[in-house]
Amino acid sequence: MYKLVIRPLLFLFPPEFIHNLSFYIIKIICKIPFVTFILKNKFSLNNKSLNKKIFNLNFKNSIGLAAGFDKNALLIKELSLFGFGHIEIGTVTPKPQNGNKKPRLFRLKSDKSLINRMGFNNDGVELIAKRLENSNADCIIGANIGKNKDTLNQDAWKDYLFCFKKLFHLVDYFVVNVSSPNTPGLRKLQNKNLLSDLLNNLQKENKKHKFKKPILLKISPDSSLNEIDDIITVVEKSKINGIVATNTSIDKSILSNSKTFEEGGISGKGIHKKSTEIIKYISKKTNHRLPIIGVGGISDHKTMIEKFNAGASLVQIYTGWIYEGPSLVKRMNKIMVNELSKN
Ligand SMILES: Cc1cc2nc3c(=O)[nH]c(=O)nc-3n(C[C@H](O)[C@H](O)[C@H](O)COP(=O)(O)O)c2cc1C
């Protein structure tokens, strides 16, 4: 039904317009009595065998919604009805910002991919914190944090720290995003010294609390192996809890069927192989000690299992959900339950 009727209809309109319209529609229909109950029944699968404890957090299942989908924490309660074990909001920056000029999100249909240059459009941490105070999602919530466009890289740690402090009591874990290709110079924060300063400052704040929050670092798929080695060294030294691999890629050669002149980061099927290779590399290099959230191009059960086999402890999806439809998470979890019952 989704692929045959709904998706072709949705794809007649610009992707960002459809994204915002879907948010609006989901918000409205969830106000109708029993709709949340119906959605939960149709799209969620609760089964004890899917439960996972990682970073001392109890995840209902291993599949999460990746950052960027609900940047402003507008819909977390409603999105949790679609069966996700966790939802990562953000990227959140200290001040609100509009992001890049529209259009800034494009479909690459023949590669089941997207290319975006959103540029951290978000409502700012103060407003997002208020929304989180009033939300009661039925899953683990992570906050993906970043810096404002006009903040210099040497001061970037202050932006991350500001967001970390504001959201500390409102989310279950944090992701430090230094890998979006759409904020000029952001990826330079993956360099050893800047990254080390950034993570140490966050850990210093974290240690002030009796119950620390897990902190993960989200990395780019376009880093060289030497750069990844440096990142692993800094991550291990700062004793943060894990890595999210990966963000979108600016490498257009990964596309097999589509040509695009648009600037931005590619997500979806096109980046699956590249990001899986990076997970495999990090997992091996760290003797499988460092928890990894695998994200990039998951579109079905097979691509999800490839991420787990590469060393991921949890996975996230974004683009695959757009192309495959709202029942994808339940379908993948169903197969997981069957596989687990065989062992
Ligand atoms: C439109 C769009 C916006 C995104 N915004 C963010 C963001 O704000 N922060 C972030 O860390 N990742 C962001 N991402 C990257 C996703 O979280 C994810 O890492 C990437 O899309 C690969 O996963 P996928 O192939 O399942 O989409 C965005 C992706 C898309 C498509």
Side-chain angles (χ1 to χ4, degrees), residues 66-69 71 88 90-92 105 114 116 118 120 144 175 177 179-180 218 244 246-248 265-269 271 295-298 316-321:
F69 195 89
K71 286 175 186 279
E88 196 172 303
T91 296
V92 181
L105 174 60
L114 296 169
N116 90 82
M118 307 299 284
F120 287 175
N144 181 306
V175 174
N177 181 7
S179 49
S180 165
K218 186 161 180 179
V244 181
T246 66
N247 215 315
T248 55
I266 298 164
S267 60
K269 216 172 170 185
I271 63 163
V295 52
I298 295 176
Q316 294 179 338
I317 51 172
Y318 184 146
T319 310
W321 207 51

Side-chain angles (χ1 to χ4, degrees), residues 298-317:
I298 295 176
S299 58
D300 54 15
H301 175 251
K302 190 174 153 278
T303 40
M304 174 178 70
I305 293 295
E306 279 169 20
K307 296 276 194 246
F308 289 131
N309 288 343
S313 310
L314 298 168
V315 294
Q316 294 179 338
I317 51 172

Side-chain angles (χ1 to χ4, degrees), residues 240-277:
I240 62 160
N241 305 75
I243 284 183
V244 181
T246 66
N247 215 315
T248 55
S249 171
I250 53 167
D251 175 9
K252 289 183 183 161
S253 70
I254 57 177
L255 296 169
S256 330
N257 308 312
S258 19
K259 268 215 163 74
T260 177
F261 298 105
E262 298 298 345
E263 293 294 310
I266 298 164
S267 60
K269 216 172 170 185
I271 63 163
H272 175 62
K273 196 162 164 249
K274 202 171 187 183
S275 74
T276 307
E277 287 303 318

Side-chain angles (χ1 to χ4, degrees), residues 214-244:
I215 301 176
L216 290 90
L217 180 75
K218 186 161 180 179
I219 64 165
S220 155
D222 301 323
S223 304
S224 68
L225 294 185
N226 280 342
E227 286 164 343
I228 293 176
D229 287 344
D230 283 351
I231 290 171
I232 293 172
T233 307
V234 176
V235 163
E236 287 187 326
K237 260 198 180 149
S238 66
K239 294 196 168 60
I240 62 160
N241 305 75
I243 284 183
V244 181

